Each structure stands twice: as C-alpha cells, then as structure tokens.
Amino acid sequence: SGFKRFETEVRGFSEVKELVICVGCNGLFQPHSFACYPWEKTPSAGELKAGFTKMAALAHEAGMKVVGVTIGPIKYGDKVTDDKLVIRREVNEWIMTTDAFDAVFDIAAPLADPNDPDAIREGFVEKDHVHFSVDGGKAIAEAFPMKLLRL
C-alpha cells in the first residue's frame, strides 16, 4: 500500500522535505496498492482523489511540501477499459486544479502520444502499455521542473 510505504519509507526520516506523489496506474489496476480496496474492485475517481488528499495531508502534517503527479497514459494496458480511462481523466483534471498539493507535475505531457493522449507514445512504452520505457523515463526526467523540489 502507498500509505504503508509512506509510513515506513518517508515519514520516519526528518530529512525528507518534499514528497512527490506519483501513484495511480496501480490504483486503477491494483486498487489495494493505493486506494486500499479489494483487488477486484476498481476505485472510483472520488476514492482515488480521497487517497491522494489523504496522502498529501499526511505529508503536510509531517512538515513536507507535496508535489502531485498526474496518472500517466494507460490506454493499451491489458486490463484497461473505457471506464478506467474516464476515471484517469477525471482524476488528472482534479490533480491539475486541486489545492491539496503545493505543486503539480503533469507526467502525461511528456509521455502521451500526440494523436492519442490516453496512450503512451511509441518508443516511450513497455510491452504492457502501462509502464514507460527507459526512454520514457528520460523524457519525464527532462520535463520535470526541478524547482518543484525547492518549494
């Protein structure tokens, strides 16, 4: 669970000043990993938003600044359905406009296929069509504004 990892890998370190919350694909495909619902249940957009909000609040309580990250393109993953794409779009719109975070990074922007924004562009995607490739990771790194880590 993202919350368990927050407790064990983040909260206990006083040196952590910023938290980048980059979750969501697994939240749609493995709900127990973030939204903490049974494996077979796809969380609603509201449940995912609540999970993001809760994690941001925990980080803020610990004195951290929080960067929210949109959910990347996932259209051709083998468990993707139209309803999951709708959820992704709604959650991403919320991430880009909520005040739950101190800053936001749109991970979809450097990864998305310009002709199909729900899909990862060719050359940036792994065979599962959910995870980005090494080149996709490089594109994200080049697009990520490092100033967000100095909030």
Side-chain angles (χ1 to χ4, degrees), residues 14-41:
S14 61
E15 299 83 17
V16 177
K17 304 296 182 209
E18 296 95 12
L19 176 67
V20 177
I21 302 177
C22 184
V23 295
C25 282
N26 286 345
L28 285 171
F29 297 109
Q30 301 169 2
H32 71 283
S33 68
F34 182 61
C36 302
Y37 288 93
W39 179 270
E40 64 277 357
K41 181 185 181 294

